[in-house]
Amino acid sequence: MYYRSTRNRNIEISAAQAIARGLSGDGGLFVPERFPRVSLDAVSAMEKASYVQRAAYIMSLFLTDFSHDEVKECVSGAYTQKKFPGKSPAPLSRLGSSVYFLELWHGPTCAFKDMALQILPRFLTKSLKKISSGREALILTATSGDTGKAALEGFRDVPGTHIMVFYPCDGVSEMQKRQMCTQEGGNLAVCAVKGNFDDTQTGVKHIFNAPEAVKAVYENGMMFSSANSINWGRLLPQIVYYFSAYCDIAASGGVKAGEPVNIAVPTGNFGDILAAYYAKKMGLPVKKLICASNSNNVLTDFLKTGIYDRNRQFYETISPSMDILVSSNLERLLFDLTDGDDRKVSSWMRGLSRTGSYDASKYLDRVKELFWGAYCDDAETKQEIRRVYEKYHYLCDTHTAVASAVYGKYAAETGDSATPAIVVSTANPYKFPSDVLDAVTGGRHAAVSGFEAVRVLSEMTGTPVPEPIAELEDKPVRFGTVCAKEEMGAEVLKFASGTFE
Ligand SMILES: *Cc1c(COP(=O)(O)O)cnc(C)c1O
């Protein structure tokens, strides 16, 4: 199977090259040349398989330059019982008769990014060997919170890799800062930057392209790489859990073979919902893909009008991982909807960077057949956390609540509440303890924050604090370096030569 760029369909590279390179030189994203069909018989056969077996089967279909054993080795190293304690890495909780919360937060950082970032480093090191680079990977990441921690955990002590994470000094939550600065592992470093997230991201992009940095890193036997959410190696693992969820629902009698489900996804960069779309394209019986946004509702408008327009106010919400105005992975959907029209996609993307908008309304009918979109603001999000808790005694986080509330709007507006629905749950509620506490108590604990909020929430609801959060309070801080944005390159060189403190 070959991969092409969304901005140049004549490119033909292997999966290993797509994963090692991350982004195409023309600015496009890599997409597989075709999507293999998974028959209903194959879906039924997977019902009895473990998550690891399901994942190996689905991913092998796309990684044709990897042997089946290599894929299995990556999968079974990533989704271990130790890293994902419990009955499955992606279990379902059934709420009511036909709604299932797909819990993707049982990994080491309690957020769904673990599902991809636990396996990406394994794919990446194998890919680098396959393209015989003979080099180790130096991953640079700019983070506004969750990705940095998940990437650190994923790459931690993976042979042949090194990772350095930069975060904006005042741009991440106290809990997120703690998660990163206490990170263990011998091949990694964390550094704060005086500036905001944009400064940090621009700094990282600049280092990737600075000839002197590239040369110095090369001389240390490494090459730069990225763990960015647009890497095919991050998207592919996300297709698996939709198949897996369907198999689990079918196995429990919630759907008969071939009957459709709806899927509601809390969306930011459009990666998670795109993976659901790909699963549908491969034959998974899915009726509607429900795209849930917070007040940054650029996607809601796009799904209604076919016009993407990022020229609008940016809101900082209580679901920060969805505070995004440019959803990069939408480019892959556009490539698909236009039957691979790379010139059209390129011109839209040029429009997006020049004027902040583009018009794809010609494809609106197809978009509407596939997707249904809506958004909810912070007040509705909190109301939903409270509603779900009071009705089902189930605690969900702010991002999950956005998906749940939007699913409610879908069911009310369309009347389609009989079709079983998968609501994608992307973070453990204890990652956002003060907002969740505030929500379930209807504002009575608004001033309580940090570990105090964790304690109160756990006592009040009788729900357990996940170990990765509980242990943070007593973990020693390892990384305290703060640099100016102009000094980021120098810090990277120190790290590459082993002198970063
Ligand atoms: C990243 C993230 C999302 C958004 O996922 P996308 O793939 O970017 O659309 C939603 N919820 C949480 C908790 C996240 O970390």
Side-chain angles (χ1 to χ4, degrees):
M1 165 146 356
Y2 285 106
Y3 289 76
R4 352 187 243 211
S5 162
T6 49
R7 298 190 201 175
N8 179 0
R9 55 177 295 125
N10 296 322
I11 286 180
E12 285 190 346
I13 61 168
S14 66
Q17 284 171 316
I19 292 168
R21 286 166 55 185
L23 187 70
S24 183
D26 48 40
L29 314 189
F30 292 121
V31 284
E33 56 171 336
R34 65 195 162 78
F35 285 84
R37 280 299 285 187
V38 176
S39 68
L40 286 176
D41 284 344
V43 174
S44 298
M46 272 194 287
E47 280 177 34
K48 290 190 196 68
S50 67
Y51 190 86
V52 163
Q53 289 167 323
R54 291 169 184 171
Y57 172 71
I58 300 286
M59 296 206 255
S60 287
L61 299 172
F62 292 94
L63 302 175
T64 50
D65 51 336
F66 286 60
S67 73
H68 195 70
D69 281 346
E70 283 178 315
V71 175
K72 260 201 343 234
E73 197 187 312
C74 291
V75 172
S76 40
Y79 303 116
T80 61
Q81 185 69 29
K82 186 159 172 268
K83 291 180 173 154
F84 293 85
K87 60 182 193 293
S88 155
L92 292 163
S93 277
R94 186 174 186 168
L95 304 190
S97 60
S98 62
V99 177
Y100 300 82
F101 277 39
L102 172 59
E103 298 175 352
L104 302 177
W105 39 259
H106 291 271
T109 78
C110 301
F112 100 97
K113 294 192 170 61
D114 288 333
M115 297 302 293
L117 279 165
Q118 280 299 316
I119 196 160
L120 174 72
R122 293 160 204 278
F123 285 152
L124 183 64
T125 47
K126 287 213 167 18
S127 297
L128 288 173
K129 282 214 183 86
K130 274 182 206 297
I131 64 170
S132 30
S133 75
R135 305 197 161 269
E136 305 205 322
L138 174 49
I139 313 288
L140 291 188
T141 302
T143 186
S144 56
D146 282 350
T147 306
K149 175 63 182 177
L152 287 164
E153 271 302 330
F155 282 94
R156 162 184 183 175
D157 294 329
V158 173
T161 72
H162 309 265
I163 176 165
M164 185 160 197
V165 169
F166 290 97
Y167 69 90
C169 209
D170 301 313
V172 301
S173 80
E174 204 43 48
M175 196 67 93
Q176 289 170 325
K177 190 183 279 189
R178 241 197 128 70
Q179 275 192 311
M180 291 190 276
C181 294
T182 58
Q183 176 68 44
E184 291 160 4
N187 62 337
L188 48 84
V190 177
C191 184
V193 178
K194 287 179 209 148
N196 59 26
F197 176 62
D198 269 344
D199 298 328
T200 311
Q201 189 161 45
T202 308
V204 165
K205 280 191 186 150
H206 179 74
I207 299 167
F208 271 126
N209 296 319
E212 68 282 15
V214 172
K215 184 161 168 275
V217 165
Y218 240 70
E219 282 163 1
N220 281 293
M222 303 176 189
M223 62 186 272
F224 281 132
S225 192
S226 117
N228 221 301
S229 82
I230 44 153
N231 192 311
W232 175 248
R234 273 187 66 178
L235 207 47
L236 176 57
Q238 300 183 246
I239 299 174
V240 174
Y241 46 72
Y242 293 108
F243 278 96
S244 179
Y246 188 89
C247 289
D248 287 344
I249 295 173
S252 72
V255 283
K256 291 199 193 68
E259 279 177 359
V261 294
N262 289 316
I263 301 180
V265 188
T267 298
N269 217 9
F270 208 76
D272 211 0
I273 194 165
L274 182 73
Y277 165 73
Y278 283 160
K280 177 176 164 71
K281 205 173 150 72
M282 292 167 70
L284 191 72
V286 178
K287 190 168 172 187
K288 278 285 182 212
L289 298 157
I290 300 165
C291 178
S293 302
N294 62 24
S295 294
N296 297 294
N297 58 359
V298 56
L299 284 167
T300 308
D301 289 347
F302 174 74
L303 297 176
K304 224 171 256 153
T305 62
I307 295 169
Y308 195 95
D309 188 358
R310 64 156 301 176
N311 301 303
R312 60 182 67 215
Q313 192 182 339
F314 175 80
Y315 296 96
E316 281 186 14
T317 73
I318 58 170
S319 43
S321 299
M322 297 158 67
D323 291 347
I324 288 176
L325 289 180
V326 177
S327 301
S328 315
N329 269 304
L330 193 59
E331 182 169 343
R332 285 184 162 114
L333 178 72
L334 295 171
F335 186 76
D336 221 59
L337 292 177
T338 59
D339 282 324
D341 190 338
D342 52 359
R343 289 169 64 181
K344 192 165 267 153
V345 172
S346 303
S347 99
W348 283 334
M349 292 305 129
R350 271 197 305 276
L352 183 62
S353 65
R354 277 194 204 136
T355 66
S357 78
Y358 58 85
D359 182 348
S361 54
K362 203 178 139 205
Y363 297 87
L364 187 57
D365 288 346
R366 180 75 184 127
V367 166
K368 281 188 164 170
E369 256 171 61
L370 295 161
F371 294 89
W372 192 93
Y375 75 101
C376 73
D377 62 20
D378 282 354
E380 291 174 283
T381 306
K382 286 190 178 175
Q383 236 167 43
E384 182 67 5
I385 293 175
R386 187 163 187 185
R387 184 191 73 84
V388 170
Y389 181 70
E390 287 181 348
K391 187 153 183 202
Y392 302 106
H393 202 74
Y394 182 88
L395 207 54
C396 71
D397 97 293
T398 48
H399 304 77
T400 307
V402 170
S404 181
V406 166
Y407 169 69
K409 293 186 188 202
Y410 167 82
E413 236 172 76
T414 62
D416 177 25
S417 54
T419 306
I422 296 171
V423 172
V424 177
S425 177
T426 48
N428 184 292
Y430 284 95
K431 268 207 109 159
F432 304 92
S434 36
D435 288 320
V436 172
L437 178 65
D438 188 33
V440 288
T441 58
R444 275 183 290 116
H445 286 81
V448 183
S449 65
F451 291 103
E452 185 57 21
V454 169
R455 268 188 292 275
V456 177
L457 189 60
S458 180
E459 271 162 29
M460 251 188 53
T461 61
T463 53
V465 182
E467 191 50 33
I469 303 277
E471 70 182 15
L472 272 185
E473 200 169 2
D474 300 320
K475 264 199 178 170
V477 170
R478 284 185 67 196
F479 300 105
T481 302
V482 183
C483 75
K485 54 190 180 194
E486 299 76 22
E487 295 163 359
M488 290 169 66
E491 297 298 338
V492 171
L493 295 189
K494 279 190 216 161
F495 178 58
S497 60
T499 58
F500 179 83
E501 308 248 315

